[in-house]
């Protein structure tokens, strides 16, 4: 896999400075529980943190800690594995080729197989994260990140398979760890499901995300916020059809199997940690075992 070039990041981002990367790299190397983090990855975290060194440190900590603590979301990611293959047939996770007028990239999620028995929330989150990781490492930072979660054809049975623990973890990862500049979350669903979904996610949504969340009962309503031409051709837009996006996703994931397997090791090693972050939470499976003190981000 060919990663994006760090020099291109310097050209794209005038606020990215070599001294900051050197300082952040020095901090990472002092954290015995953290794996090696490349300068490109550090640049991505700094960008997502709007160049705040301290926020970048916290985001790196949470990103690597959450991924290590929740293997049901972030382990066993080989696209050639039968379980992952099944998830790839059920779910579409893709970026649209074109960006919004604000130069934001648009991520699109849709269920391609509506068999409830084949749907797994955790597997869908796994594919979501795989898509983001691949896009960032291949193409680098982008100005903003918009999510369209297309549940137009989903049923209450699908939503009820999203348990409280999974909902809480997903939202923590999205709001606090994912190294992107999150701008909007659009959910397309039948009106009757909106209240059901809100009951699952509302307790865990921070005020900042709440203001970015929009529910729509049709594609027409969505297009008041997202240009219609960005949508797949079968939904009235000019992007490839959902079928084509789905086929391209499966092909791309399979071709990058080695990358996804290698990424499984990009997690914290809690047995080596000697400082306990304030966000350690046994109910979330974070920080079980070991003797921890306080997170040091100085």
């Amino acid at each position: 896999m060919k990663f994006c070039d760090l020099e291109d990041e310097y050209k794209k981002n005038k606020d990215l400075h070599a001294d900051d990367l050197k300082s952040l790299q020095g901090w990472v190397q002092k954290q015995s529980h953290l794996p090696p983090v490349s300068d490109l990855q550090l640049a991505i975290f700094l960008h997502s943190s709007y160049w705040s060194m301290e926020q970048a440190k916290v985001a790196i900590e949470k990103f690597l800690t959450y991924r290590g603590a929740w293997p049901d979301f972030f382990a066993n990611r080989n696209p050639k594995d039968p379980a992952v293959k099944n998830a790839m047939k059920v779910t579409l996770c893709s970026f649209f080729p074109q960006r919004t007028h604000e130069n934001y990239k648009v991520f699109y999620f849709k269920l391609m197989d509506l068999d409830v028995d084949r749907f797994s929330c955790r597997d869908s989150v796994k594919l979501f994260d795989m898509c983001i990781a691949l896009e960032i490492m291949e193409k680098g930072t982008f100005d903003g990140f918009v999510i369209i979660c297309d549940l137009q054809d989903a049923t209450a049975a699908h939503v009820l398979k999203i348990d409280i623990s999974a909902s809480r973890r997903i939202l923590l990862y999205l709001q606090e760890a994912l190294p992107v500049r999150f701008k909007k979350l659009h959910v397309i669903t039948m009106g009757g499901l909106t209240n059901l979904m809100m009951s699952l996610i509302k307790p865990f949504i921070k005020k900042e995300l709440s203001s970015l969340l929009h529910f729509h009962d049709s594609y027409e309503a969505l297009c008041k916020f997202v240009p219609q031409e960005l949508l797949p051709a079968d939904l009235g837009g000019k992007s490839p059809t959902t079928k084509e996006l789905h086929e391209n996703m499966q092909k791309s994931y399979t071709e990058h199997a080695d990358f996804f397997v290698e990424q499984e090791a990009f997690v914290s090693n809690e047995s080596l940690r000697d400082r306990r972050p304030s966000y350690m939470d046994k109910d979330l499976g974070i920080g079980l075992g070991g003797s921890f003190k306080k997170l040091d981000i100085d």
Side-chain angles (χ1 to χ4, degrees):
M1 173 177 170
K2 185 180 185 302
F3 292 157
C4 66
D5 196 299
L6 181 59
E7 291 304 316
D8 289 337
E9 289 300 311
Y10 281 120
K11 293 175 184 177
K12 280 196 294 184
N13 300 298
K14 63 180 178 58
D15 293 314
L16 176 62
H17 303 295
D19 287 347
D20 290 338
L21 288 184
K22 182 177 180 181
S23 175
L24 192 55
Q25 186 65 259
W27 172 81
V28 168
Q29 292 175 6
K30 291 178 182 177
Q31 314 306 310
S32 58
H33 61 288
L34 296 183
V37 183
S38 71
D39 283 351
L40 174 61
Q41 290 166 322
L42 295 180
I44 290 168
F45 276 102
L46 272 171
H47 177 272
S48 69
S49 301
Y50 294 88
W51 315 114
S52 166
M53 187 73 69
E54 300 312 308
Q55 289 182 27
K57 291 176 182 178
V58 173
I60 292 167
E61 269 279 6
K62 290 185 176 182
F63 180 85
L64 296 170
T65 301
Y66 292 166
R67 292 171 67 85
W70 303 331
D72 47 345
F73 290 143
F74 301 114
N76 304 316
R77 298 154 68 91
N78 190 337
K80 298 177 182 179
D81 180 89
V84 182
K85 275 187 176 182
N86 176 70
M88 289 163 54
K89 291 177 181 178
V90 173
T91 305
L92 165 61
C93 293
S94 178
F95 280 91
F96 290 154
Q98 303 301 318
R99 304 189 187 194
T100 68
H101 300 315
E102 301 90 348
N103 201 36
Y104 300 159
K105 284 197 174 184
V106 180
F107 171 89
Y108 183 65
F109 171 94
K110 182 179 177 65
L111 294 177
M112 302 298 288
D113 184 332
L114 297 178
D115 184 343
V116 175
D117 292 334
R118 297 188 67 188
F119 170 69
S120 164
C121 169
R122 286 170 168 76
D123 286 345
S124 294
V125 174
K126 183 179 295 187
L127 295 184
F128 163 83
D129 186 67
M130 289 166 66
C131 182
I132 304 300
L134 187 61
E135 186 76 6
I136 292 175
M137 293 307 293
E138 281 192 318
K139 300 177 183 176
T141 59
F142 39 93
D143 293 345
F145 176 58
V146 176
I147 297 176
I148 298 176
C149 186
D150 187 350
L151 301 178
Q152 179 83 345
D153 300 319
T155 66
H158 288 98
V159 177
L160 289 173
K161 291 191 75 173
I162 306 173
D163 60 77
I164 294 296
S165 174
S167 177
R168 186 180 177 192
R169 293 179 183 189
I170 294 165
L171 288 166
L172 271 176
Y173 184 71
L174 178 63
Q175 296 174 101
E176 300 182 0
L178 194 65
V180 296
R181 293 182 175 182
F182 185 58
K183 298 297 182 180
K184 296 287 183 184
L185 170 56
H186 297 283
V187 181
I188 310 168
T189 185
M190 300 299 290
L193 293 184
T194 300
N195 290 338
L196 180 57
M197 291 193 65
M198 283 301 295
S199 68
L200 283 171
I201 65 178
K202 188 175 181 180
F204 314 119
I205 295 181
K206 292 185 174 182
K207 182 179 179 180
E208 295 84 354
L209 179 59
S210 180
S211 66
L212 306 178
L213 175 62
H214 300 274
F215 282 90
H216 311 284
D217 60 6
S218 67
Y219 297 114
E220 291 76 14
L222 170 69
C223 290
K224 295 178 181 178
F225 298 85
V226 177
Q228 184 172 352
E229 61 264 25
L230 268 61
L231 300 182
D234 51 319
L235 301 181
K238 296 182 179 179
S239 292
T241 65
T242 52
K243 181 181 179 181
E244 290 170 331
L245 290 172
H246 192 217
E247 291 173 347
N248 291 340
M249 179 205 80
Q250 295 177 82
K251 180 182 178 183
S252 177
Y253 281 20
T254 302
E255 290 175 347
H256 293 92
D258 290 346
F259 167 73
F260 293 125
V261 172
E262 290 170 2
Q263 284 285 296
E264 292 183 37
F266 193 51
V267 299
S268 66
N269 183 343
E270 295 302 313
S271 67
L272 299 178
R273 186 194 290 274
D274 63 357
R275 300 179 184 277
R276 179 188 176 114
S278 60
Y279 57 82
M280 289 295 189
D281 186 332
K282 289 187 177 182
D283 290 338
L284 284 170
I286 303 172
L288 298 179
S291 175
F292 303 123
K293 300 176 185 178
K294 182 182 178 183
L295 172 63
D296 179 4
I297 60 173
D298 294 335

